[in-house]
Amino acid sequence: MIRFAAPLLAAAFALAACSSNDKLADNAVTPALNQMAEAPGDWSALDGMIGRRPSESGLIEDSPISVDLNARLGPSAKAYRDAMMAAGPLTRQGHLLVAKAPDAWLVLDPEGHAFHAGLTRGGRLEEWQTAGADVPRPV
């Protein structure tokens, strides 16, 4: 019985080592960044939404930013979407596009394919923005 236990223990240790939570091994070679990222979508359609409310234009639900916005907001996406339905028209402020509602706002940087969004819930401001971007809050 003992001679069977040693191989079983060795196999258990090997399996435990393989199931570590690390996504990459220490010596893993990753592809170049331009091979990992998809090309950003075409945000030129956002210009056609200027002067229109997000509830009319589909800015929040069905536009070039929708997928990225939903991914970044995660579980807060529905509350944010609902709040932005009360937003005024999308305006141009310099190179930025801005939409504001009483409890939410969105600033878009079409040139940088980046956004900054905010939502006030329960008296607390929650903010999200494109990773690595420096998009300001609305004025």
Side-chain angles (χ1 to χ4, degrees), residues 60 66 69-83 119 121 128:
I60 305 300
S66 301
L69 190 62
N70 285 333
R72 180 61 76 189
L73 271 61
S76 298
K78 182 176 179 351
Y80 180 79
R81 236 183 351 262
D82 291 347
L119 172 66
R121 278 197 294 190
W128 305 268

Side-chain angles (χ1 to χ4, degrees), residues 86-128:
L90 185 66
T91 61
R92 179 173 293 284
Q93 294 179 6
H95 73 283
L96 301 174
L97 303 178
V98 179
K100 293 190 267 187
D103 295 322
W105 48 264
L106 176 64
V107 180
L108 299 165
D109 176 1
E111 294 170 9
H113 287 83
F115 66 86
H116 192 163
L119 172 66
T120 302
R121 278 197 294 190
R124 283 190 51 211
L125 174 64
E126 298 175 62
E127 294 182 75
W128 305 268

Side-chain angles (χ1 to χ4, degrees), residues 11-89:
F13 285 128
L15 285 174
C18 290
S19 68
S20 100
N21 288 333
D22 295 336
K23 291 183 179 179
L24 298 172
D26 290 336
N27 62 351
V29 176
T30 58
L33 185 58
N34 63 356
Q35 292 176 351
M36 293 172 54
E38 290 183 27
D42 181 11
W43 285 29
S44 63
L46 297 175
D47 283 339
M49 297 179 179
I50 295 172
R52 297 171 58 202
R53 297 171 163 274
S55 60
E56 302 165 343
S57 67
L59 175 66
I60 305 300
E61 310 99 341
D62 186 30
S63 78
I65 66 156
S66 301
V67 171
D68 291 341
L69 190 62
N70 285 333
R72 180 61 76 189
L73 271 61
S76 298
K78 182 176 179 351
Y80 180 79
R81 236 183 351 262
D82 291 347
M84 282 299 290
M85 290 302 109

Side-chain angles (χ1 to χ4, degrees), residues 1-14:
M1 183 84 158
I2 293 178
R3 68 179 179 196
F4 292 111
L8 286 176
L9 283 173
F13 285 128

